[in-house]
Amino acid sequence: MSCQQHSLKTWNTFSLEACANKISMAESAEALCQFWQQSTDQNEPVLLLGEGSNVLFLDDFSGQVIINRIKSIRVSETTDAWSLHVGAGENWHQLVETSLEQGLSGLENLALIPGCAGSAPIQNIGAYGVELDRVCEYVDIVSLADGVQQRLTAAQCQFGYRDSIFKYQYRDGYAIIAVGLRLAKIWQPVLSYGDLRNLDPLTVTPREVFNAVCQMRRSKLPDPKMTGNAGSFFKNPLVSAEVAAKLQAEYPHIPQYPQINGDVNVKLAAGWLIDQCDLKGFHIGGAAVHAQQALVLINANEATGQDIVNLARSVRQRVAEKFNVWLEPEVRFIAAQGETDAVEVIA
Ligand code: FAD
Ligand code: EPU
């Protein structure tokens, strides 16, 4: 089959010109397993995708891409909480909006994050002071080789900052098919981040938080429909308290986020570090550092995957030269045969 027939351009928010041997839509766990089996029988690689908002295609993919479109939202309630059982192929932002319209609050800080509900646990999506693990009760997965389904509790998911067990033990050979969320009926607004601090905790409504989050995001982040990107390209680095103190002595305005839960490390803002290297607007080939948010690399002009890699390598090098801090990509790198180690690629 020719590449043009199976373009991945609309299946990755970087809008990179890559293609696959085959693209299939799976609307059930059984379909996921069937498609996976077809490829395994033919000895070809498989890539699962939701909406492609956190992937970088380095090359054409030499196998089948399976798009997860398992739908359904079931709501039940107990005296103190709403429980949502959400099919992995539901769009995350629509879920946030719909739940808010139905009077269920708790997801508003996570508005406008692209992608599917089923992808949300993988990097424990987070924004504006809230991460998915605050509301996630369980994640249902299927073992693609034998169709056996399993429910993992939130504790078993081992959620961390942009991290979970789905990047390790359950990365290959498993698919997420549903996510269970628990939204407390007594709403506790989280107003600790950015402009949300200006809202009055005594009178604020979930809708106001939702609107403020949407406004902040629209003012900073490029819309992938207009400009190809995958959100933050790098993770915010965690450094020891000692390193953080040294950096603060040299750069008194450096943003630092001490960690909770007994973690002695301090999180730095990768966007600030990149910005301090005067890299906003810096470009290599068709790839550029976004002019409003330096942590976002964009497809400015028909970039290739290699352009983005070259830019990421250069940005990482410049930040290390200035601050002695090595950034790690948040975006997942996909080579012809499947996912590859992103740090190795840009090292
Ligand atoms: P994809 O990119 O399709 O897949 C991501 C990874 O998950 C791939 O490795 C894929 O193989 C795997 N995968 C996909 N579906 C499944 C499945 N069902 N089972 C098993 N594995 C699967 N992230 C944040 O955390 N916070 C933000 O604020 C944020 N802002 C963003 C803003 C923009 C403009 C963009 C483009 C991205 C942003 N992101 C953010 C990143 C992205 O939205 C999230 O990582 C999102 O959860 C990815 O969802 P997706 O469905 O597009 O995943
Ligand atoms: N900053 C700069 N210059 C820049 C960018 C940022 O100085 O070009 C400074 C800001 O002024 C601020 C700090 O860096 O003091 C942090 O910036 P911002 O609030 O924009 O957040 P971020 O750390 O860059 C993280 C997440 C985002 C999430 C926002 C809001 C990561 C890797 N990124 O970005 O998530 O939406 O916080 O909570 O943790 C994503 O994961 O794709 C993503 C967009």
Side-chain angles (χ1 to χ4, degrees):
M1 279 180 228
S2 102
C3 231
Q4 283 84 344
Q5 279 177 297
H6 303 291
S7 169
L8 292 166
K9 188 166 181 175
T10 55
W11 294 110
N12 74 101
T13 59
F14 262 122
S15 291
L16 296 176
E17 298 275 6
C19 59
N21 291 354
K22 190 175 177 191
I23 300 175
S24 310
M25 300 283 166
E27 294 180 5
S28 65
E30 292 71 30
L32 277 174
C33 295
Q34 274 168 19
F35 290 135
W36 191 84
Q37 196 59 53
Q38 280 167 10
S39 288
T40 310
D41 289 347
Q42 290 165 23
N43 225 0
E44 67 169 7
V46 174
L47 176 70
L48 291 173
L49 276 191
E51 296 184 5
S53 65
N54 210 30
V55 288
L56 174 67
F57 285 108
L58 305 181
D59 228 326
D60 291 333
F61 186 69
S62 320
Q64 179 176 201
V65 170
I66 307 177
I67 312 279
N68 190 322
R69 282 298 171 270
I70 301 175
K71 300 277 187 165
S72 88
I73 302 177
R74 293 201 306 266
V75 181
S76 56
E77 65 178 306
T78 58
T79 43
D80 55 356
W82 301 101
S83 293
L84 280 67
H85 179 88
V86 186
E90 292 286 346
N91 173 270
W92 176 262
H93 177 70
Q94 269 168 26
L95 172 71
V96 176
E97 271 207 299
T98 311
S99 56
L100 209 55
E101 277 159 16
Q102 293 176 356
L104 319 186
S105 40
L107 301 179
E108 53 287 336
N109 294 57
L110 300 175
L112 274 189
I113 298 182
C116 287
S119 313
I122 298 173
Q123 70 161 10
N124 185 23
I125 56 168
Y128 296 95
V130 172
E131 290 179 320
L132 182 82
D133 62 358
R134 185 180 164 92
V135 290
C136 181
E137 201 168 22
Y138 61 81
V139 176
D140 288 347
I141 58 174
V142 64
S143 160
L144 293 162
D146 54 19
V148 174
Q149 297 187 14
Q150 195 183 338
R151 174 161 295 179
L152 302 180
T153 62
Q156 288 173 314
C157 294
Q158 297 179 20
F159 290 122
Y161 166 64
R162 296 295 189 268
D163 206 22
S164 76
I165 199 160
F166 306 107
K167 289 189 170 182
Y168 312 99
Q169 189 177 331
Y170 294 113
R171 195 191 82 170
D172 299 318
Y174 295 88
I176 294 175
I177 51 174
V179 177
L181 305 176
R182 183 185 182 279
L183 304 180
K185 286 187 179 172
I186 297 179
W187 181 58
Q188 303 270 8
V190 178
L191 306 174
S192 53
Y193 200 100
D195 292 355
L196 296 182
R197 294 197 194 95
N198 301 332
L199 299 171
D200 181 349
L202 296 177
T203 58
V204 71
T205 64
R207 174 61 63 178
E208 283 166 356
V209 175
F210 173 90
N211 289 341
V213 167
C214 290
Q215 199 187 336
M216 279 187 282
R217 294 185 67 98
R218 288 196 174 108
S219 70
K220 282 188 202 169
L221 293 166
D223 179 353
K225 287 197 190 97
M226 316 295 290
T227 308
N229 77 94
S232 301
F233 192 86
F234 298 98
K235 290 184 229 175
N236 283 332
L238 280 172
V239 298
S240 68
E242 192 189 350
V243 169
K246 275 189 194 152
L247 285 168
Q248 192 157 40
E250 199 171 346
Y251 306 98
H253 299 298
I254 187 171
Q256 297 197 343
Y257 311 98
Q259 299 302 286
I260 44 173
N261 304 332
D263 187 341
V264 292
N265 292 319
V266 176
K267 201 193 278 175
L268 306 178
W272 185 90
L273 299 175
I274 299 169
D275 200 357
Q276 292 297 305
C277 297
D278 286 329
L279 287 169
K280 275 183 176 158
F282 175 66
H283 64 96
I284 292 184
V289 177
H290 186 50
Q292 273 83 48
Q293 224 298 4
L295 191 45
V296 178
L297 304 189
I298 60 170
N299 176 355
N301 185 15
E302 296 179 15
T304 61
Q306 198 54 50
D307 289 342
I308 310 265
V309 165
N310 292 340
L311 180 66
R313 185 181 295 121
S314 185
V315 166
R316 183 171 183 262
Q317 192 69 39
R318 294 274 283 274
V319 168
E321 279 160 14
K322 189 170 170 80
F323 298 103
N324 197 23
V325 172
W326 291 94
L327 299 179
E328 282 183 23
E330 181 202 89
V331 172
R332 316 284 292 265
F333 284 27
I334 313 295
Q337 296 293 318
E339 183 164 10
T340 188
D341 188 309
V343 173
E344 269 177 29
V345 173
I346 59 168

